[in-house]
Amino acid sequence: MKIHLLLFTMLLGVVLAVHLAMNGKVGAAINNPRVGNALFWCIGALGAIAIGVTGWQEGALGPVKDVHPLLLTAGLFGACLVFAIAWLIPQVGAGPVMLTLLAGQIVGGMAMSHFGLLGSPVQPISVTNLIGALVMIGGVLLATRTT
């Protein structure tokens, strides 16, 4: 593995935690997580457009016709995901949400790699992987346990 890419990925995890907590705080501050999330996504859309325009090339959207329509629902998935997380953080706290979310991502990522879903290189789940995931889930349970 390339350690610099793993470190960058870890940094992105920190950024994700902060960004989702910020969204939760906006929803709580205006006492309406749905409107807070909509505002969050509108501002994000403007940022995405600005980033996209800087790399625009003639015919950039031409290949979209070859993309399976189901894949284009990823934006909707993202909006629903961020809304749910923004709602959850004020309910149970950023730590428990991020830990549990991470556990779900690891289990989901392992399954995607095992079956080669969405273009992921196939990496079969081994006994060691399974034990690691179970230990991690146990860690999440311990770390999120209330006394």
Side-chain angles (χ1 to χ4, degrees):
M1 285 279 176
K2 297 179 179 178
I3 191 71
H4 68 284
L5 295 177
L6 294 176
L7 291 172
F8 180 62
T9 303
M10 185 176 281
L11 174 64
L12 291 177
V14 171
V15 171
L16 178 63
V18 171
H19 128 121
L20 292 170
M22 290 170 67
N23 191 20
K25 184 70 174 169
V26 170
I30 66 173
N31 200 29
N32 192 328
R34 284 180 272 183
V35 171
N37 191 50
L39 179 61
F40 183 83
W41 280 92
C42 288
I43 293 168
L46 292 175
I49 290 169
I51 291 167
V53 166
T54 63
W56 194 262
Q57 300 168 350
E58 183 70 28
L61 294 176
V64 170
K65 67 183 180 309
D66 299 324
V67 175
H68 191 285
L70 188 61
L71 293 175
L72 298 176
T73 65
L76 179 59
F77 275 37
C80 293
L81 175 70
V82 171
F83 168 74
I85 295 166
W87 177 80
L88 280 166
I89 288 174
Q91 308 299 315
V92 297
V97 168
M98 292 304 146
L99 285 165
T100 309
L101 183 66
L102 180 59
Q105 287 177 286
I106 290 171
V107 170
M110 286 174 64
M112 289 179 62
S113 290
H114 181 79
F115 295 107
L117 301 176
L118 296 173
S120 176
V122 173
Q123 182 180 359
I125 296 173
S126 68
V127 172
T128 304
N129 298 143
L130 192 56
I131 291 169
L134 291 172
V135 167
M136 184 214 42
I137 291 169
V140 169
L141 293 172
L142 288 172
T144 59
R145 182 173 169 226
T146 58
T147 53

